[in-house]
Amino acid sequence: MEFSLVAQTLDILEKTSSKIQQAATLAALFKKTPAIDIDKVVYFILGILWPDWKGMPEIGIAEKGIQKAIAMATNTTESEVEKLYKSLGDFGAVVEKLKLGKQGKASGLMTFIKSAKEEKKRLDVETVYNTLVKIAMLQGEGSRDMKLRLLTALLMDADAKEAKYIVRFVEGRLRLGVGEATVMDGLATAFGVSRDLVERAYNIFPDLGAIAKTLAEKGGGELKNIKPTPGIPLRPMLAERGSDPVEILNKAGFPALAEFKYDGERAQIHKKGDKIWLFSRRLEEITHQYPDVVEMALKHIKASEAIVEGEIIAVDPETEEFKPFQELMHRKRKKDIHEAVKEIPVVVRLFDCLYVDGVDLTMKPLPERREYLRKIVEESDEFRIAEGAIVKDSKELEQLFLKAVDAGCEGLVVKSLGRDSVYQAGVRGWLWIKYKRDYKSELTDTVDLVVVGAFHGRGKRSGTYGALLLAAYDPDTDRFVTVCKVGTGFTDEELAQLPRKLEPYKLPNKHQRVDSDIEADVWFEPALVMEVTGAELTLSPVHTCCRGWVKPGVGISIRFPRFIRWREDKSPTEATTSKEIYEMYLRKLRKIERVEPKGEEA
Ligand code: ATP
């Protein structure tokens, strides 16, 4: 298929902000795309060459390289390209302008003859994709020049619009405002299958390119046969929050399983023969970071093939007490992994089992999954099943909560044991409810928010940012909505590093998927997530989070927010959602309502 069709679609998508329209535009493209190209088209639209979890190399061309390739491909000087970049703020726009200029100059009969000749060698999807893959795969000495040569040749063959999107792809900034959710909508429409079916397949096999190909080649029926596969991470099941033990048990049903909520790194452990893979909560492969866990898994998992899930927790080598999450991050940053393993040992606490020797357990209720876990895991101090108990009432729940906190855990995860307690991959639902220490004191819940903008600092803070504009994620609209500005809680060092940390995400304008009434001094692509505490949730006329949900035209904001830490393990769409903020707000209101009548009585 000609690549121009993809470029034209990207152009339309860029100008459309309605999610429904975007999905319809994508569906039209997918219908036209031959099966052989559809995976490549899906990847290109998502701005990737392959799913992140494959751990394959990235394109690896820096800004300077892009500048050089544009100059060579358009017969322009690098300083001219640089000048244009300064005024347009985007290399995609620069190459488009330069190419259009060239097309404009060659006019009349010459153009006609030339374009007739060129008709035959229009760029096709396969050539573009394969060239980009070749560029990414080039590593080591001399690869930089080869990469530039390949990119230059590709840009020479491309027309203005095609070049614009190729450059943006290489820069890692397609900025279409199209996320995975919209691509799934488009695929469901194009192939006449239910959106739920596509999503279920994606949750247990997170590769939208491969899913699109299966749909195009074999139809929707085949999607039902997709099952967990060792080596391919599943999207994790997530927990809702609860703050009241009675309410929690009402939602989970009782008796329920209450387990310690360990403060470590979540890991999906995959085993196939003597091969082990570890995947993070974000589906990144982290096997190489934990050679000790690999050894434990080989020793203690008694099945030839299995996928289990658990938490990796740092422990004090002297006292064997659990250490906080930050310790693990500290270990990750160490260069010599073998030294780190000795210095900061870890243990594993398992809480789920998704697949064993050909059997897909994701649709089985929790008691059955736990039975499998018990059967295949030979427990030891370092590698065992999470501590917990079956609780019948709120009193038992409270007791276990105190025990968990006492053991250095964050609290509990309360899990439904009912017949429908399946593993809901990729879903945050009420089958799992987290009950954390900090929910006890009103309004000190922490939230994870995405940095979307910043304000220049003054006085002591000149040269860095004075405050960052933070947003929650709204999965229904696939957009980021602002909740607060945060300027406190940073150490001097963290403050000084802010500009450098945020530089790669800088944009000339507000990102398409960000809803903000506030004009930030600098805009960022929604990428970095930070954990924040707040004193209060209040109605806000300026913030767009939950706008109109409580009152028309009014949103919800967090007052007196404080930075706690970066959440590198979370992607922007895993940030706290506007729905969660709304629920927190309602909970607070309920508490106030309960207090007020008492006051009147007195
Ligand atoms: P938080 O920021 O509170 O850790 P999160 O948004 O990262 O939450 P949630 O799904 O909301 O993720 O909370 C569940 C997390 O708690 C899991 O991702 C897992 O890492 C951790 N966890 C610790 N112990 C357990 C357990 N026994 N069962 C399930 N999850 C557990």
Side-chain angles (χ1 to χ4, degrees):
M1 186 173 77
E2 283 183 7
F3 183 67
S4 63
L5 246 153
V6 178
Q8 278 157 22
T9 307
L10 298 183
D11 212 36
I12 300 171
L13 289 172
E14 201 187 334
K15 293 176 187 135
T16 322
S17 55
S18 146
K19 223 183 131 194
I20 295 172
Q21 264 175 35
Q22 284 186 332
T25 307
L26 284 175
L29 175 69
F30 295 152
K31 271 190 203 155
K32 276 185 244 161
T33 309
I36 189 156
D37 286 330
I38 198 160
D39 48 345
K40 304 176 189 84
V41 169
V42 165
Y43 293 140
F44 198 94
I45 287 165
L46 291 171
I48 55 175
L49 284 175
W50 29 59
D52 288 345
W53 53 260
K54 289 205 169 161
M56 302 282 280
E58 294 184 2
I59 292 269
I61 301 183
E63 273 192 12
K64 273 263 168 260
I66 293 174
Q67 185 173 308
K68 200 166 184 173
I70 295 176
M72 289 194 290
T74 57
N75 218 355
T76 321
T77 62
E78 271 190 69
S79 60
E80 178 64 19
V81 175
E82 197 176 350
K83 215 166 87 199
L84 272 174
Y85 177 68
K86 281 203 177 119
S87 73
L88 297 172
D90 160 27
F91 280 119
V94 170
V95 74
E96 184 182 32
K97 192 173 164 110
L98 287 168
K99 282 240 159 202
L100 279 176
K102 293 246 144 46
Q103 278 169 16
K105 271 182 210 151
S107 58
L109 186 63
M110 275 304 288
T111 320
F112 176 76
I113 296 167
K114 227 176 137 214
S115 59
K117 256 202 220 156
E118 278 172 359
E119 201 61 46
K120 279 202 192 69
K121 49 174 191 123
R122 301 288 299 270
L123 265 184
D124 58 45
V125 168
E126 200 179 347
T127 309
V128 174
Y129 180 82
N130 289 350
T131 311
L132 292 171
V133 167
K134 234 188 249 167
I135 294 176
M137 297 305 280
L138 283 166
Q139 304 284 321
E141 215 179 308
S143 64
R144 192 177 161 270
D145 285 350
M146 271 306 286
K147 280 177 192 269
L148 288 194
R149 241 177 282 159
L150 285 171
L151 179 60
T152 306
L154 195 57
L155 294 179
M156 283 171 88
D157 288 343
D159 69 19
K161 210 171 275 318
E162 292 168 342
K164 168 175 159 185
Y165 290 107
I166 291 172
V167 162
R168 284 198 182 163
F169 182 96
V170 171
E171 262 191 296
R173 294 183 176 185
L174 267 185
R175 284 193 235 122
L176 299 170
V178 172
E180 282 140 1
T182 318
V183 170
M184 282 193 264
D185 288 341
L187 286 173
T189 311
F191 295 99
V193 292
S194 85
R195 164 63 209 253
D196 283 354
L197 182 65
V198 179
E199 187 154 348
R200 152 96 190 142
Y202 178 59
N203 284 337
I204 55 174
F205 195 98
D207 181 343
L208 278 181
I211 286 174
K213 201 160 194 146
T214 305
L215 276 170
E217 277 175 354
K218 302 187 180 142
E222 190 61 24
L223 278 198
K224 293 197 189 100
N225 298 332
I226 288 184
K227 62 177 186 184
T229 314
I232 298 172
L234 287 83
R235 298 184 72 213
M237 173 167 178
L238 301 172
E240 276 288 354
R241 310 161 184 247
S243 57
D244 175 33
V246 176
E247 200 182 310
I248 289 175
L249 284 176
N250 279 338
K251 287 229 159 92
F254 37 93
L257 174 67
E259 269 177 355
F260 283 17
K261 185 178 193 302
Y262 299 95
D263 188 15
E265 175 164 25
R266 186 174 185 155
Q268 235 175 60
I269 306 174
H270 291 225
K271 177 171 190 259
K272 185 174 185 166
D274 53 11
K275 173 129 181 76
I276 301 284
W277 297 262
L278 305 178
F279 294 102
S280 74
R281 189 184 180 288
R282 290 185 70 164
L283 313 188
E284 285 151 346
E285 207 193 326
I286 48 170
T287 316
H288 57 283
Q289 293 171 13
Y290 294 105
D292 39 357
V293 175
V294 170
E295 242 173 72
M296 291 177 207
L298 281 173
K299 195 161 141 202
H300 297 289
I301 300 179
K302 303 290 166 198
S304 12
E305 289 191 1
I307 302 177
V308 296
E309 233 187 351
E311 195 85 355
I312 300 178
I313 318 132
V315 287
D316 188 316
E318 307 284 316
T319 62
E320 291 186 0
E321 280 173 352
F322 295 137
K323 294 189 129 192
F325 175 76
Q326 283 85 337
E327 285 288 322
L328 268 188
M329 292 299 122
H330 185 60
R331 166 170 153 155
K332 274 169 173 270
R333 276 193 279 272
K334 289 207 174 249
K335 287 234 164 56
D336 182 345
I337 180 67
H338 296 286
E339 196 184 298
V341 163
K342 263 193 250 140
E343 215 173 291
I344 307 173
V346 298
V347 296
V348 177
R349 294 295 178 261
L350 299 160
F351 51 77
D352 224 309
C353 186
L354 315 180
Y355 168 90
V356 173
D357 291 332
V359 186
D360 173 4
L361 300 174
T362 56
M363 298 309 279
K364 306 252 189 255
L366 181 59
E368 211 172 311
R369 302 204 302 277
R370 300 285 297 205
E371 198 45 52
Y372 268 94
L373 195 56
R374 266 192 293 272
K375 251 195 263 165
I376 65 161
V377 175
E378 210 174 79
E379 293 187 87
S380 74
D381 282 348
E382 54 178 18
F383 196 85
R384 61 165 59 241
I385 297 172
E387 193 158 334
I390 292 182
V391 292
K392 291 187 298 299
D393 53 40
S394 56
K395 212 170 127 214
E396 285 181 10
L397 186 65
E398 275 296 2
Q399 274 165 0
L400 194 69
F401 176 79
L402 294 175
K403 204 173 144 198
V405 171
D406 198 48
C409 292
E410 282 187 300
L412 299 173
V413 185
V414 182
K415 299 179 177 179
S416 168
L417 290 170
R419 287 219 325 242
D420 62 349
S421 58
V422 296
Y423 187 87
Q424 293 180 312
V427 176
R428 192 184 289 282
W430 292 101
L431 290 176
W432 286 10
I433 307 173
K434 54 185 172 179
Y435 180 34
K436 289 209 295 194
R437 205 168 19 191
D438 44 7
Y439 298 156
K440 294 243 86 179
S441 66
E442 198 189 348
L443 304 177
T444 53
D445 299 14
T446 68
V447 284
D448 300 319
L449 301 173
V450 188
V451 183
V452 295
F455 304 86
H456 295 308
R458 288 195 220 120
K460 242 180 77 186
R461 290 206 181 170
S462 62
T464 179
Y465 296 124
L468 302 180
L469 182 61
L470 302 184
Y473 176 61
D474 185 348
D476 291 336
T477 56
D478 196 18
R479 301 180 72 77
F480 296 90
V481 283
T482 69
V483 224
C484 62
K485 285 194 222 170
V486 67
T488 51
F490 300 98
T491 62
D492 288 346
E493 203 192 332
E494 280 160 348
L495 262 183
Q497 280 170 354
L498 278 181
R500 200 149 28 106
K501 189 168 177 83
L502 288 161
E503 182 63 30
Y505 309 102
K506 230 174 175 177
L507 299 174
N509 296 303
K510 186 169 68 184
H511 190 274
Q512 267 234 345
R513 281 159 83 197
V514 170
D515 282 341
S516 173
D517 282 358
I518 297 172
E519 262 309 310
D521 293 334
V522 184
W523 292 107
F524 302 112
E525 183 188 329
L528 295 182
V529 179
M530 63 164 65
E531 188 172 346
V532 167
T533 58
E536 243 187 340
L537 287 168
T538 53
L539 292 181
S540 155
V542 291
H543 286 286
T544 51
C545 179
C546 309
R547 179 164 285 171
W549 297 12
V550 184
K551 271 188 191 174
V554 175
I556 296 179
S557 76
I558 295 173
R559 287 187 69 195
F560 311 122
R562 246 187 111 73
F563 168 83
I564 301 181
R565 58 174 167 155
W566 292 103
R567 286 293 308 250
E568 259 115 359
D569 59 329
K570 280 201 172 180
S571 69
T573 53
E574 284 169 334
T576 300
T577 63
S578 40
K579 198 168 138 240
E580 288 180 272
I581 293 195
Y582 181 58
E583 276 161 8
M584 285 174 168
Y585 176 79
L586 291 186
R587 258 201 302 272
K588 179 195 126 185
L589 273 194
R590 274 203 294 278
K591 280 188 185 149
I592 294 171
E593 275 162 13
R594 254 184 255 143
V595 171
E596 272 168 3
K598 268 193 207 152
E600 280 163 17
E601 274 162 31

